């Protein structure tokens, strides 16, 4: 069933993006690129929320794999790993060899924008194809937080730009 495969792929993509977001914040912080204007603490909170999203998604995937939908959790995990790898490659390409704080936060804006888009699509798929209230509620809850993450990154990017 093509719809089932699309749903598995989209779940894998959002899961992979959550994993990549955590990795990106840790990596950028370790390079000292998030030290300006109190960014580090704000983005660490965002990283912890991404970890919560990952956990919530993994629980939902397990539930849906055992439900009448019978989603294949291995397919979802493969898609997640592939997406995480692609996002990490994109970050390295975007930042280049000598990134600064401005470039780092702008990359996080791009990443958060991608997450919002993927969750918007997943939310639509959930409403039309999954028909599981708990799943739809969880996806929409994460989507609201992802929108806040994008707003935070955008605000921080503007603050850095104004201070340069």
């Amino acid at each position: 069933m093509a719809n089932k495969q699309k749903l598995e792929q989209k779940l894998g993509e959002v899961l992979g993006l959550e994993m990549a977001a955590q990795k990106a914040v840790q990596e950028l912080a370790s390079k000292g690129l998030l030290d300006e204007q109190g960014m580090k603490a704000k983005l660490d909170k965002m990283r912890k929320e991404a970890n919560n999203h990952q956990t919530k998604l993994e629980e939902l995937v397990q539930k849906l794999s055992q439900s009448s939908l019978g989603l294949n959790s291995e397919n979802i995990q493969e898609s997640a790993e592939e997406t995480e790898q692609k996002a990490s490659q994109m970050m390295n390409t975007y930042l280049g060899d000598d990134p600064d704080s401005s470039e780092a936060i702008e990359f996080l804006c791009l990443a958060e924008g991608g997450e919002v888009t993927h969750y918007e699509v997943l939310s639509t798929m959930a409403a039309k194809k999954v028909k599981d209230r708990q799943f739809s509620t969880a996806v929409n809850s994460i989507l609201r937080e992802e929108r806040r993450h994008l707003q935070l990154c955008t605000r921080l990017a503007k603050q850095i730009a104004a201070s340069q």
Side-chain angles (χ1 to χ4, degrees):
M1 163 170 137
N3 288 338
K4 182 177 153 182
Q5 290 172 329
K6 289 276 189 197
L7 181 59
E8 289 171 350
Q9 181 180 0
K10 192 57 60 187
L11 276 166
E13 288 169 353
V14 297
L15 188 56
L17 289 171
E18 293 294 358
M19 293 160 39
Q22 294 169 71
K23 184 177 174 183
V25 170
Q26 286 177 319
E27 200 171 308
L28 295 172
S30 74
K31 291 179 180 181
L33 295 172
L34 304 180
D35 292 341
E36 287 191 34
Q37 301 184 17
M39 281 194 309
K40 194 173 184 178
K42 293 172 185 169
L43 294 172
D44 194 53
K45 181 178 185 252
M46 188 177 83
R47 182 193 58 77
K48 289 175 183 172
E49 288 174 349
N51 183 269
N52 291 339
H53 297 167
Q54 178 183 346
T55 301
K56 203 180 284 188
L57 285 169
E58 288 169 342
E59 290 168 358
L60 289 168
V61 164
Q62 185 166 356
K63 180 184 175 209
L64 291 175
S65 68
Q66 296 168 352
S67 74
S68 61
L69 281 176
L71 296 184
N72 185 324
S73 58
E74 289 177 23
N75 289 347
I76 294 167
Q77 191 59 42
E78 274 181 37
S79 179
E81 290 167 7
E82 183 180 325
T83 300
E84 179 188 20
Q85 184 178 27
K86 286 178 183 179
S88 293
Q89 289 171 344
M90 286 173 50
M91 182 178 81
N92 291 331
T93 300
Y94 184 88
L95 294 177
D97 294 331
D98 190 27
D100 62 18
S101 292
S102 178
E103 291 167 321
I105 194 64
E106 287 171 9
F107 174 77
L108 291 177
C109 288
L110 286 170
E112 289 300 325
E115 282 186 273
V116 167
T117 301
H118 278 74
Y119 275 107
E120 291 280 1
V121 171
L122 182 59
S123 176
T124 299
M125 293 174 83
K128 298 243 184 227
K129 294 173 177 79
V130 178
K131 308 264 194 256
D132 180 303
R133 192 163 162 76
Q134 183 184 8
F135 180 75
S136 293
T137 299
V139 168
N140 287 321
S141 171
I142 294 171
L143 174 58
R144 282 189 298 279
E145 284 189 4
E146 290 301 335
R147 286 179 183 143
R148 284 194 300 274
H149 291 174
L150 177 57
Q151 289 172 341
L152 169 64
C153 288
T154 302
R155 189 173 64 251
L156 292 171
K158 288 178 179 180
Q159 286 174 358
I160 289 175
S163 70
Q164 292 179 336

